[in-house]
Amino acid sequence: MNLSVVQACLTETDLTRIRRAAEHVRDHDTDQVLAGLLPGLTADERTDAARHLGYDHTAVLVFPASLDGLRDELRGAGLDPGPVAPSVVVRGRLARRYGAAVGDSPVGIVHVPVAGRSVEIFALPVPPGSPLEAVAADERATEHESHHAFAVTAPGRVIPAGLRTLLTERGGAVPDGGGYNNHENVTVLYFRTAGHLRFELRLPGRQEPLPDPALALLRVMTGAWATQAVRTMAELGIADHLAGHPALDTTALATLTDTDPDALQRLLRYLATLGLVTSSPDGTHRLTALGEPLRTGTEHSLHPLALLYGGPFYDSFAGLPYAVSTGQEAFAQRFGKHHFRHFAEHPELGDLFHRSMAASAEMFTPVPDLVDFSGVRRVVDVGGGNGALLGRVLRAHGHLDGVLLERPEALAAARSHLADLAGRCTFVEGDFTDSVPADGDVYLLSRVLHDWDDERCLTILRRCAAAMREGSRLLVVERLLPGDTAAAWDIHMLCNVGGREREEAHYGRLLTETGFKPTSSHPLPLGAALLHAVRL
C-alpha cells in the first residue's frame, strides 16, 4: 500500500479528536459520564441507572479522504481498529441535515477498543475538492455526531422504558432521533442535554423508537381538537348509544345520533386514536374503558365535565395569554364577569357547573373512612356545592347531623341531592366571606380555597375560625402542587377563576396564620388530598 496515501487519509485535526475521545474512554466510568451529561440526577439515581446500563463508548465523526487505508492509519496511530461497517443511523442523520450535499456518500463505522470499552469512529469520505468539505467543516465545528454511549444491559422492555423516563424527566435529556441498525442488530436512541451534549442508549434488537420531538409537539398543540372531539362525543350521546347497543356500525349510530354518516365515521376514527372507542374490521364500534365515564346516569360520570371544559371554559382559554400577562382571569374578560356570577345569571350553565362539580365527587370516596367521626355530632360544609361530600359523610355515619352553607342557586341542587337526608341536614343561604354557621364539631372546605387568592382565602379561614370552638377540626380538600394534575388545574384556575392551586406548605401557612394547627394529610382520588387541621 502506498504509505503516503495512508498517511494522508486523516487530517491531524481528526486524529487529535480521536485521541481525545480515547483518553475520555480510558479515564471515565459510568457514574462520571452520567454526572457530566446530566448533573440534575442525584448520586442515588446515577447509581441506580448504572445497575442497568454501562458506559460503552465515545463516538466521533471524522472525514478521511477515503475509507481505503483508514484502518491502517489508525493502527499507525497506535490503535487497534475492528472492521469497517456501514453506519445506517448516522448516514441518515447527515442526509437529513445536509440533503443533496451528502448524496449517496457512504458513512463507515469502526470500533477501536480502549480499556474494555471503545471509541466509535464514524467516517464520511471527503475527497479533496469535494463539496463535502463544507459539511466536514460544519460538523467539526458543531460536533453534531460526537457523543457518549451507554449499553442497556437489562433485557426486555420494562427497565429500558424506566431508564428513558429517568433520563428525560429527571435528567432533562431531550430525545434526538435514532433508529435500528440491522448490521449490528441494535436500536440506537439519541438524546441531547441542556448543555448541548449528546449521548445514546444502545438497546439489543429492534426496539420502539422515542417519539419525534416535532411530532410530539404537534400532538400537544392539537390538544384542543381532542377536547372538542370529546365534547362532541358527549353531546351526541355516543357513549350511551354504544353501551346500550354493543357493536353498532356507523350507519346505525348515525341514525341514532342524527348525524352525517361520513362525518361521524371520521369522528369515530379520531376518537379511536384517543382510545375512547375501538373499531372492528367489520365496521362496528365499541366503547372502551376510557370512554366509559362519558356515559350519563352512572356514578362519577364525567359527561358534564366534557360539556363544561369543551364549552364556556374552552372559550375562555383563548384568553390565557391575557391571564398570564395581567394575572387577571380570562373568563371575566371574555364574558364580562366572574364565572360564578355569569353562571348564576345563566341557569343552564349554573346547572351544568354544579353537575360538573358532582362528576368529580369520586375524590370524596375515602373521606368518611379517613376521619374519626365517633365523637362528632355536627358537620358544617362551607361552600359545599350540591353537598356531595357532606352527603357521603352523613350516609356513612348515621349519628351525624349536617349543615350546608351555599348560595341560593347551589342549594336548589343540594336539596335534591340530599333529599334522603332531609331530617338530618340543614340548608343555610349565605356567603362564607361574611359568616359561617357556628357550633360545628367538624368543618368541611372542599374545593373552595383554590377559587381565591391568598387574601380572600385568609378571610374565609378567619370566618371559619370565628365560628369554630377550640379543638374542633377543619378538613380541606384540594389538589396539591407539585404534580401534573395540579399543575394543569392551576392554569385552569388562573384562566377561568382567578384562583390557584397550592403546595401543602402554602396551605399550612394560611391555616397557621388564621388560628389553625395543620396536623396531617391523606391522598385522595383524582389527584386531590385531604388536609387535617385543628382550631387552636
Side-chain angles (χ1 to χ4, degrees):
M1 180 175 292
N2 187 323
L3 185 59
S4 63
V5 173
V6 173
Q7 290 176 335
C9 183
L10 284 168
T11 66
E12 186 59 36
T13 297
D14 283 347
L15 282 171
T16 299
R17 295 168 65 232
I18 292 171
R19 293 188 185 103
R20 192 165 58 238
E23 290 172 1
H24 188 280
V25 169
R26 184 173 57 248
D27 297 340
H28 292 75
D29 60 19
T30 301
D31 184 81
Q32 291 170 321
V33 179
L34 280 172
L37 289 168
L38 303 172
L41 293 180
T42 66
D44 287 343
E45 287 169 338
R46 294 197 306 270
T47 298
D48 192 38
R51 293 170 51 211
H52 307 296
L53 54 76
Y55 177 31
D56 184 77
H57 66 258
T58 287
V60 60
L61 173 61
V62 298
F63 307 94
S66 169
L67 294 180
D68 296 333
L70 176 59
R71 295 179 70 198
D72 291 309
E73 187 161 354
L74 292 172
R75 290 191 189 100
L79 303 172
D80 182 22
V84 179
S87 175
V88 177
V89 175
V90 171
R91 193 201 174 286
R93 287 172 59 86
L94 291 172
R96 287 191 295 273
R97 191 175 300 129
Y98 298 103
V102 174
D104 296 328
S105 300
V107 176
I109 178 173
V110 57
H111 290 92
V112 174
V114 177
R117 301 187 182 95
S118 69
V119 174
E120 186 174 68
I121 301 172
F122 300 110
L124 172 66
V126 181
S130 164
L132 288 171
E133 287 183 341
V135 173
D138 184 66
E139 285 295 319
R140 287 191 182 107
T142 58
E143 298 280 2
H144 282 306
E145 298 306 323
S146 295
H147 63 265
H148 304 305
F150 302 92
V152 177
T153 57
R157 298 180 181 273
V158 175
I159 290 177
L163 285 170
R164 297 185 200 183
T165 301
L166 175 69
L167 298 174
T168 54
E169 295 188 4
R170 293 284 302 123
V174 178
D176 191 33
Y180 174 67
N181 188 330
N182 63 319
H183 297 284
E184 299 182 77
N185 191 29
V186 297
T187 297
V188 178
L189 302 178
Y190 287 115
F191 298 83
R192 287 180 288 107
T193 73
H196 303 290
L197 302 174
R198 293 182 61 249
F199 67 93
E200 73 177 33
L201 293 186
R202 295 173 61 83
L203 295 88
R206 187 185 293 273
Q207 302 280 342
E208 289 296 320
L210 289 172
D212 174 79
L215 184 58
L217 179 58
L218 279 174
R219 292 194 180 106
V220 173
M221 292 166 61
T222 57
W225 303 352
T227 301
Q228 289 303 321
V230 174
R231 172 194 178 182
T232 304
M233 180 177 174
E235 286 188 349
L236 296 176
I238 290 175
D240 286 339
H241 289 305
L242 292 181
H245 306 83
L248 280 174
D249 63 22
T250 303
T251 301
L253 186 58
T255 299
L256 291 170
T257 56
D258 193 23
T259 55
D260 176 79
D262 178 67
L264 178 61
Q265 174 60 37
R266 295 162 69 179
L267 173 64
L268 291 166
R269 182 168 54 214
Y270 181 46
L271 293 172
T273 71
L274 301 177
L276 299 174
V277 302
T278 60
S279 299
S280 301
D282 63 1
T284 59
H285 311 283
R286 290 174 174 80
L287 189 65
T288 66
L290 187 61
E292 183 76 18
L294 288 177
R295 293 176 58 191
T296 60
T298 61
E299 187 178 18
H300 309 314
S301 168
L302 298 183
H303 185 273
L305 279 174
L307 301 178
L308 182 66
Y309 291 161
F313 284 162
Y314 182 89
D315 290 344
S316 66
F317 250 103
L320 182 58
Y322 166 83
V324 173
S325 298
T326 65
Q328 304 298 312
E329 60 182 285
F331 192 99
Q333 184 205 36
R334 168 69 177 81
F335 293 101
K337 53 181 66 70
H338 189 280
H339 94 269
F340 286 136
R341 286 182 55 202
H342 181 75
F343 287 173
E345 294 173 7
H346 297 80
E348 72 287 355
L349 290 179
D351 176 66
L352 176 62
F353 176 76
H354 291 301
R355 288 190 289 117
S356 296
M357 294 304 97
S360 53
E362 181 184 354
M363 66 175 61
F364 303 145
T365 303
V367 173
D369 297 320
L370 290 174
V371 180
D372 181 7
F373 289 101
S374 59
V376 175
R377 179 185 61 84
R378 195 178 197 215
V379 178
V380 179
D381 193 348
V382 179
N386 72 342
L389 176 55
L390 180 61
R392 189 172 291 275
V393 170
L394 295 183
R395 293 183 184 104
H397 300 281
H399 67 285
L400 297 177
D401 290 329
V403 178
L404 179 64
L405 172 69
E406 256 298 359
R407 300 182 306 278
E409 63 274 11
L411 288 181
R415 287 189 173 93
S416 174
H417 180 72
L418 302 177
D420 61 311
L421 299 169
R424 298 168 52 201
C425 189
T426 302
F427 301 93
V428 178
E429 292 185 8
D431 182 346
F432 45 59
T433 63
D434 293 331
S435 65
V436 170
D439 298 326
D441 303 302
V442 170
Y443 283 71
L444 309 177
L445 270 178
S446 170
R447 300 178 294 179
V448 169
L449 298 179
H450 75 160
D451 286 334
W452 309 102
D453 60 22
D454 281 4
E455 182 178 352
R456 186 63 64 91
C457 286
L458 291 172
T459 297
I460 296 168
L461 290 171
R462 289 189 180 106
R463 296 294 180 266
C464 290
M468 298 170 66
R469 301 185 300 270
E470 179 181 342
S472 53
R473 289 176 286 166
L474 177 66
L475 305 178
V476 177
V477 176
E478 295 288 358
R479 290 185 172 91
L480 298 179
L481 293 169
D484 292 348
T485 302
W489 254 264
D490 187 41
I491 289 296
H492 166 69
M493 303 309 291
L494 167 66
C495 189
N496 286 294
V497 181
R500 66 187 310 140
E501 306 294 353
R502 298 173 172 87
E503 296 179 348
E504 183 176 350
H506 193 159
Y507 281 116
R509 292 192 296 272
L510 296 175
L511 289 165
T512 300
E513 185 173 341
T514 51
F516 294 94
K517 178 183 178 181
T519 57
S520 62
S521 68
H522 292 88
L524 297 175
L526 302 181
L530 176 66
L531 306 181
H532 302 244
V534 175
R535 173 72 168 92
L536 296 176

